[in-house]
């Protein structure tokens, strides 16, 4: 198999989203006169947020609803009377300004470019946040297209976001595409649903207990190079 297009997930594949999220959340909690070091408070938010993102993947809630609902529920549990919409806007703006590229991501993108591969991002998330973080990074000029779920109306793993990506990049050669990402339920299941090969980036060597089968598995981003060289006969 010789691939032409590498479709890349963004968060926890190329970018350290956990760090970005932590910085933005700390800023917002401080603005609410809450202690960002209080684990009971941050655990409350993370639990609510994680649950809503699962609902988003399942199509039970929209991206626009999620961004406000997480803070509405958080304020309710914390007994606060803050305006969830204003808090959400503050958080989204801060998050869009946090850009931390993971180790090996720049080297991978440079290798792909130097070897003639074409790259596009396919990511769930909020357009303002994802574009803001990409445009602040050294990766901004590598991608021919950035497909964000908010723009398409579909979340990975729905095949609709991939069909939108195929349209954006002007190619329907599914056999020439490879989806690379860290999430089995989003990236790998999504690629499987779309009929393209997948590569699971699993840096923590987590067991796969889902029944979702990636075409390949790597434990560091540099591992993709070996796969591509092998598939192309190099």
């Amino acid at each position: 198999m010789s691939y032409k297009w590498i479709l890349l997930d963004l968060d926890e594949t190329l970018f350290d989203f956990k760090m970005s999220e932590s910085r933005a959340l700390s800023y917002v909690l401080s603005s609410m006169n809450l202690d960002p070091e209080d684990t009971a408070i941050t655990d409350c938010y993370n639990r609510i947020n994680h649950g809503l993102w699962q609902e988003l993947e399942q199509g039970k809630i929209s991206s626009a609803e999620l961004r406000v609902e997480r803070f509405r529920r958080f304020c309710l549990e914390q007994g606060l009377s803050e305006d969830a919409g204003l808090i959400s806007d503050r958080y989204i703006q801060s998050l869009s300004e946090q850009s931390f590229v993971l180790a090996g991501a720049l080297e991978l993108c440079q290798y792909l470019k130097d070897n003639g591969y074409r790259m596009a991002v396919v990511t769930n998330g909020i357009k303002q946040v994802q574009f803001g973080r990409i445009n602040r990074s050294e990766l901004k000029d590598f991608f021919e297209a950035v497909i964000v779920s908010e723009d398409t109306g579909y979340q990975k793993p729905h095949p609709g976001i991939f069909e939108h990506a195929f349209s954006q990049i002007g190619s329907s050669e599914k056999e020439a595409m490879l989806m690379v990402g860290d999430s089995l339920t989003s990236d790998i299941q999504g690629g499987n649903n779309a009929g393209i090969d997948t590569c699971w980036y699993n840096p923590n060597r987590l067991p796969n207990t889902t029944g979702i089968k990636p075409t390949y598995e790597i434990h560091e981003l540099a591992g993709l190079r070996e796969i591509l060289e092998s598939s192309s006969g190099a």
Side-chain angles (χ1 to χ4, degrees):
M1 181 65 66
S2 182
Y3 299 109
K4 298 177 183 177
W5 279 97
I6 309 301
L7 308 182
L8 294 151
D9 174 51
L10 202 64
D11 295 322
E12 301 306 322
T13 300
L14 298 179
F15 284 81
D16 188 336
F17 182 75
K18 292 176 183 175
M19 183 178 291
S20 296
E21 184 179 43
S22 177
R23 296 279 185 93
L25 183 60
S26 291
Y27 166 73
V28 166
L29 292 177
S30 295
S31 75
M32 298 165 67
N33 295 314
L34 296 174
D35 181 4
E37 301 299 320
D38 188 328
T39 56
I41 291 174
T42 56
D43 286 350
C44 173
Y45 171 81
N46 289 328
R47 170 176 49 79
I48 292 169
N49 187 50
H50 179 70
L52 286 170
W53 274 99
Q54 287 185 318
E55 290 185 24
L56 184 68
E57 280 189 14
Q58 296 163 6
K60 296 178 180 178
I61 189 172
S62 71
S63 176
E65 290 170 329
L66 179 149
R67 68 173 73 181
V68 176
E69 181 63 15
R70 57 189 170 187
F71 288 107
R72 189 194 70 79
R73 294 186 189 183
F74 173 76
C75 288
L76 185 63
E77 287 200 23
Q78 295 294 320
L80 303 171
S81 58
E82 301 274 355
D83 185 317
L86 292 177
I87 298 170
S88 174
D89 290 344
R90 198 179 302 157
Y91 174 77
I92 294 300
Q93 180 59 41
S94 178
L95 190 58
S96 71
E97 296 168 358
Q98 312 295 331
S99 181
F100 305 100
V101 175
L102 286 170
L106 176 59
E107 292 79 2
L108 173 62
C109 289
Q110 190 64 58
Y111 166 81
L112 294 173
K113 179 181 179 181
D114 291 345
N115 286 274
Y117 293 99
R118 303 176 72 178
M119 287 170 275
V121 167
V122 181
T123 176
N124 286 349
I126 297 166
K127 181 178 180 179
Q128 178 185 345
V129 171
Q130 304 301 56
F131 275 95
R133 292 161 63 227
I134 290 173
N135 290 336
R136 285 174 169 81
S137 79
E138 59 266 53
L139 303 185
K140 64 180 180 179
D141 296 323
F142 285 103
F143 311 119
E144 295 189 38
V146 176
I147 293 88
V148 183
S149 60
E150 185 179 46
D151 276 340
T152 72
Y154 299 105
Q155 307 288 328
K156 292 180 293 184
H158 195 287
I161 190 173
F162 290 91
E163 293 299 331
H164 185 89
F166 302 156
S167 175
Q168 287 291 100
I169 66 178
S171 176
S172 57
E173 291 183 86
K174 293 185 178 183
E175 68 279 2
M177 298 181 189
L178 179 66
M179 177 69 209
V180 182
D182 70 295
S183 171
L184 284 168
T185 57
S186 175
D187 305 312
I188 306 309
Q189 185 64 64
N192 291 349
N193 290 346
I196 63 175
D197 284 356
T198 57
C199 179
W200 181 30
Y201 174 48
N202 181 19
N204 296 318
R205 299 176 183 265
L206 301 173
N208 181 356
T209 59
T210 64
I212 300 168
K213 298 186 183 301
T215 312
Y216 312 101
E217 178 178 341
I218 56 175
H219 303 124
E220 55 184 23
L221 290 175
L224 184 60
R225 177 173 179 168
E226 181 179 344
I227 290 170
L228 294 174
E229 291 176 352
S230 175
S231 68
S232 66

